[in-house]
Amino acid sequence: MRARAAATLLTLLAVTGCSAGGGAADDGSEPAPDDTLTVLAAASLTETFTTLAEEFEAEHPGVEVSLAFDSSATLAQQALEGAPADLLATADTRTIESAADALAAAPEIFATNTLVLVVPAGNPGGVTSVDDLVDGGYVACVETAPCGATWAALAADNGIDADPASLEVDVKAVLARVVADEVDAGIVYATDAVAAGDAVETIELPGAEQQVTSYPIAVLAQSSRPDLAQELADLVLGETGRQVLADAGFGVP
Amino acid sequence: MTLTAPPPRSATTTRHLGRPPLVLLVPAVLAATLLVLPLVTLVLDTPWGTFWSELRSEPVRRALALSALTSGLTVVVCVALGTPLAWLLARVEFRGRGLLRAAVAVPLVLPPVVAGVALVTALGRNGVVGSLLRETTGLTVPFTTAAVVVAHVFVSMPFYVLSVEGALRTAGERYDVVAATLGATRWTTFRRVTLPLALPGLVAGAVLAWARSLGEFGATITFAGNFPGTTQTMPSLIYTTLQADPAAARTLSMILLVVSIGVLAGLRHRWLRPL
């Protein structure tokens, strides 16, 4: 309910915002000092995209990159509703395709990720493998989120039928539950485990490499600065992006 | 408080004051539009063709059942614990009464997600009380239906207590004093005199608490989690459904809206009397 209300508000803002910023801008000129690029990015991209946004701002004085991290499904929905944003980066191809009508160009894959099992530091639940998962003893993403869909496939591969304690809407929420030691284990991306540092211990999931999720990025149709948005996408897809993403534990295509 | 009904007003007084000035009329119409328009569009936008099949689907049935159970239990807890608290606040002089009343009102203005975070710090697995509970009994509260009820009671209780306290104060102490002079004990006075006089306030408070409980989302999803059958209430299901199927989420919202309007109809004596 809340997300939809927010989306509707954003739509209203977009209507007013687009009329002000429309029209093909003169290429090659210095961006106006008040230029803002809004990026909708999957929750698992929080650390890497924050770094890349800073990089981009350093290269483009006067440009401000504003980042919104959420569940990929929520972001795709917001983009479709006309949220005043310039770029969309989701954690799987399925979610970005659901926003196909809002994309200015075909999405490009810039990273891959795999799932791991994380337990709180000290492993209070004594979980050593995926077979130790019991009913209510772990948390995972809801199936509509890429992390949940991937986990559902992986759980099926491993013949796991233990129910999670809770289905969180995005992977950072799962990680938060584990870091806070509210549950014995959680299913997150390898990169989230890296980002959490010493707060969690990581356990490999058998067959995880068979269920790789790919991260696509695309400029949005409602972007008021599609040229600048494409430059940011190029940064993510290019050498700088590869480096930052690889450092965070992402696979790069 | 929101509980005060608008003062009764006769149509004749406005007639003599002339046409309403535009400077008042325009913002008034805007305000009314802002409140009514989203609800109207929700009704229009709901895919009614699938309403009944949606209503009978497994996830909705489970979420509705859980919402009914938890909001029902919430009202029971509110009445059982909240009535004595309201009585204490209204009838007994003690140090820190004002402070206690303020504390009771805090959840009213607290963002629900903050309420959820507060509950985790108290009753979470590593919470102050939660860790103690876990060490001594092995029980943990989060991710259980009990956690949902706890979250709901936390946000709903103030509505009930303040409503009942108001009713007790309005009823006054005169009859209590008379009963006492006739030899009734404080408990008998409470049962036979105080409570019956405050009954309308009790009922209104219970309905308010129930409505608040039915709509509770932020504290529930933060503290209790989101799993079908145990912790996924209607608002959580709507939030989850919105991720995949916005049309279905609108139908589910419609179901909750119908229920909420039912609650309002139950409260019509308080809020809709001028109609």
Side-chain angles (χ1 to χ4, degrees):
Chain A
M1 232 180 322
R2 197 166 296 177
R4 173 150 181 94
T8 313
L9 263 178
L10 287 173
T11 314
L12 283 172
L13 287 172
V15 170
T16 50
C18 281
S19 59
D26 38 331
D27 299 295
S29 67
E30 276 291 303
D34 57 346
D35 255 333
T36 301
L37 279 181
T38 304
V39 182
L40 307 178
S44 46
L45 294 168
T46 306
E47 294 81 13
T48 46
F49 267 45
T50 305
T51 309
L52 288 169
E54 282 163 7
E55 194 82 33
F56 190 76
E57 284 173 345
E59 284 175 19
H60 296 77
V63 177
E64 200 185 310
V65 181
S66 131
L67 299 159
F69 299 105
D70 210 320
S71 149
S72 294
T74 302
L75 295 174
Q77 188 59 34
Q78 286 175 357
L80 208 53
E81 300 256 358
D86 304 283
L87 268 176
L88 174 65
T90 64
D92 72 356
T93 48
R94 185 190 55 161
T95 42
I96 207 160
E97 276 158 15
S98 72
D101 288 347
L103 305 181
E108 288 184 78
I109 307 291
F110 64 92
T112 59
N113 218 340
T114 50
L115 289 180
V116 294
L117 186 63
V118 287
V119 297
N123 196 1
V127 176
T128 55
S129 90
V130 70
D131 300 319
D132 295 331
L133 295 181
V134 292
D135 270 346
Y138 70 105
V139 281
C141 293
V142 319
E143 265 194 58
T144 49
C147 47
T150 311
W151 166 242
L154 200 54
D157 290 352
N158 281 296
I160 294 158
D161 54 6
D163 283 333
S166 181
L167 297 169
E168 304 294 325
V169 291
D170 68 38
V171 72
K172 289 295 178 193
V174 173
L175 185 67
R177 299 273 196 205
V178 178
V179 169
D181 190 15
E182 285 295 319
V183 279
D184 291 337
I187 310 294
V188 299
Y189 291 122
T191 52
D192 297 303
V194 171
D198 292 339
V200 298
E201 294 170 23
T202 306
I203 298 165
E204 299 291 325
L205 286 169
E209 67 285 348
Q210 310 289 313
Q211 301 288 350
V212 174
T213 180
S214 302
Y215 288 64
I217 190 167
V219 175
L220 290 171
Q222 60 259 43
S223 172
S224 53
R225 289 298 308 268
D227 50 332
L228 207 55
Q230 187 57 53
E231 279 184 49
L232 179 50
D234 290 341
L235 177 82
V236 173
L237 288 155
E239 203 48 54
T240 317
R242 280 170 168 274
Q243 192 60 51
V244 171
L245 289 158
D247 287 348
F250 284 96
V252 280
Chain B
M1 252 303 310
T2 47
L3 295 175
T4 45
R9 159 219 88 177
S10 68
T12 50
T13 51
T14 40
R15 204 186 302 149
H16 298 299
L17 288 171
R19 290 164 58 88
L22 268 185
V23 69
L24 294 180
L25 202 57
V26 171
V29 168
L30 274 177
T33 308
L34 186 65
L35 292 178
V36 173
L37 185 71
L39 300 180
V40 172
T41 51
L42 179 61
V43 173
L44 296 178
D45 218 18
T46 298
W48 288 100
T50 54
F51 188 81
W52 287 110
S53 60
E54 200 73 60
L55 186 60
R56 283 196 303 256
S57 74
E58 179 69 15
V60 175
R61 282 217 323 264
R62 292 172 91 174
L64 266 179
L66 188 75
S67 271
L69 173 73
T70 52
S71 60
L73 283 173
T74 299
V75 171
V76 170
V77 175
C78 281
V79 171
L81 305 181
T83 314
L85 178 57
W87 176 81
L88 203 68
L89 289 173
R91 288 285 192 272
V92 183
E93 294 274 359
F94 60 94
R95 274 169 65 93
R97 180 162 75 160
L99 209 64
L100 181 62
R101 185 184 295 115
V104 166
V106 165
L108 280 180
V109 291
L110 206 61
V113 65
V114 178
V117 173
L119 286 168
V120 170
T121 59
L123 294 168
R125 204 160 91 150
N126 281 313
V128 177
V129 181
S131 56
L132 215 70
L133 195 71
R134 189 172 163 217
E135 278 161 29
T136 50
T137 64
L139 292 174
T140 54
V141 184
F143 310 120
T144 62
T145 305
V148 179
V149 177
V150 169
H152 285 201
V153 168
F154 185 80
V155 298
S156 307
M157 182 83 90
F159 286 90
Y160 180 79
V161 171
L162 295 181
S163 172
V164 174
E165 196 211 344
L168 289 173
R169 286 184 179 280
T170 312
E173 261 184 301
R174 271 185 309 139
Y175 295 101
D176 290 20
V177 172
V178 171
T181 55
L182 292 175
T185 62
R186 233 176 174 177
W187 171 237
T188 310
T189 309
F190 174 77
R191 258 186 327 121
R192 307 286 295 272
V193 180
T194 317
L195 213 51
L197 278 171
L199 201 60
L202 242 83
V203 172
V207 175
L208 268 179
W210 184 62
R212 179 66 187 86
S213 167
L214 210 55
E216 186 4 74
F217 169 69
T220 313
I221 207 154
T222 312
F223 176 56
N226 173 46
F227 194 77
T230 52
T231 54
Q232 187 175 69
T233 58
M234 277 301 282
S236 309
L237 175 65
I238 291 170
Y239 184 64
T240 308
T241 307
L242 199 57
Q243 312 272 318
D245 189 351
R250 284 198 286 279
T251 308
L252 303 186
S253 302
M254 200 58 225
I255 294 170
L256 216 52
L257 181 67
V258 167
V259 174
S260 307
I261 288 174
V263 174
L264 202 62
L267 275 176
R268 67 188 180 282
H269 293 303
R270 269 191 171 268
W271 284 347
L272 304 179
R273 194 183 289 146
L275 293 177

